[in-house]
Amino acid sequence: IYRTLLEESKPEIEFLVNAAGFGLFGTFSEMDLDKQLDIVSLNANALTAFCHISIPYMPQGSHIINLASNSSWQPVPYINVYGASKAYVMSFSRALGVELKSRKIHVMAVAPGWIKTEFFDTAIHDDTIRYFDRYYTAEQVIVKAMKDLRKNKAVSILGLPVQMQVLAIKFL
């Protein structure tokens, strides 16, 4: 339906922000399979589809912002499908950015730490994960992402603790 709407209206898309997503905390083998597949469907498949159907309507100077996660950088037990889906978002975004560079369309992945949003209302259903060391607000993520967007960065990471964690993971 979205492709048809785009074909009919032929919009000029200057910004595409893919920020929808959800995850579940728990042991993979004990959680509902359909819910796990829904995570992949929204976090990876829908994001991929929206990029694909939007790019033909994006002029030079346009931007794609995809919400990845600090979970993008390493395997994350007890939230593994979410982490794997966000690793996909990170890898896809960085590769797509290279492909679209010649068209002067900038792609940036945003990889924050814990953000105080409704995410936790859905994700937490037991006490499997308890290490919420630092929360950021959605506003903090947006301000940092917009600063990094102006610098044409491929990845936006909010907060020195998160940046240090990413650096340590790369080093290891």
Side-chain angles (χ1 to χ4, degrees):
I1 186 169
Y2 298 110
R3 186 183 305 269
T4 303
L5 291 172
L6 288 171
E7 288 172 359
E8 289 173 0
S9 63
K10 299 196 183 339
E12 188 172 280
I13 300 172
E14 293 183 30
F15 284 90
L16 173 63
V17 179
N18 287 303
F22 81 100
L24 296 172
F25 298 153
T27 304
F28 172 76
S29 61
E30 295 173 7
M31 287 193 291
D32 182 81
L33 175 61
D34 288 335
K35 288 182 181 177
Q36 298 291 1
L37 295 175
D38 288 346
I39 292 170
V40 176
S41 182
L42 180 60
N43 295 2
N45 297 353
L47 177 139
T48 303
F50 273 99
C51 286
H52 192 270
I53 66 175
S54 298
I55 289 169
Y57 303 97
M58 300 184 87
Q60 288 186 1
S62 296
H63 302 275
I64 297 173
I65 301 170
N66 291 327
L67 191 62
S69 169
N70 193 32
S71 298
S72 304
W73 306 103
Q74 73 275 327
V76 185
Y78 307 107
I79 190 167
N80 53 34
V81 173
Y82 172 82
S85 72
K86 292 303 184 170
Y88 170 85
V89 172
M90 178 64 70
S91 180
F92 173 75
S93 298
R94 294 177 86 178
L96 185 61
V98 172
E99 290 182 20
L100 295 178
K101 190 172 186 171
S102 65
R103 292 184 54 187
K104 296 185 175 29
I105 297 174
H106 176 245
V107 180
M108 183 175 73
V110 178
W114 301 116
I115 308 171
K116 193 67 170 168
T117 66
E118 302 84 21
F119 174 88
F120 293 98
D121 297 339
T122 303
I124 298 175
H125 63 276
D126 61 23
D127 65 349
T128 304
I129 294 184
R130 288 167 270 165
Y131 60 87
F132 307 112
D133 55 344
R134 177 183 313 264
Y135 285 109
Y136 295 101
T137 65
E139 292 79 12
Q140 289 173 303
V141 175
I142 293 166
V143 167
K144 173 68 167 140
M146 295 312 292
K147 284 181 185 176
D148 290 341
L149 189 69
R150 285 190 287 280
K151 296 176 185 176
N152 282 326
K153 288 190 172 186
V155 179
S156 177
I157 303 171
L158 173 64
L160 185 60
V162 179
Q163 292 171 351
M164 296 306 292
Q165 181 182 354
V166 170
L167 185 62
I169 290 164
K170 288 181 178 184
F171 179 72
L172 292 173

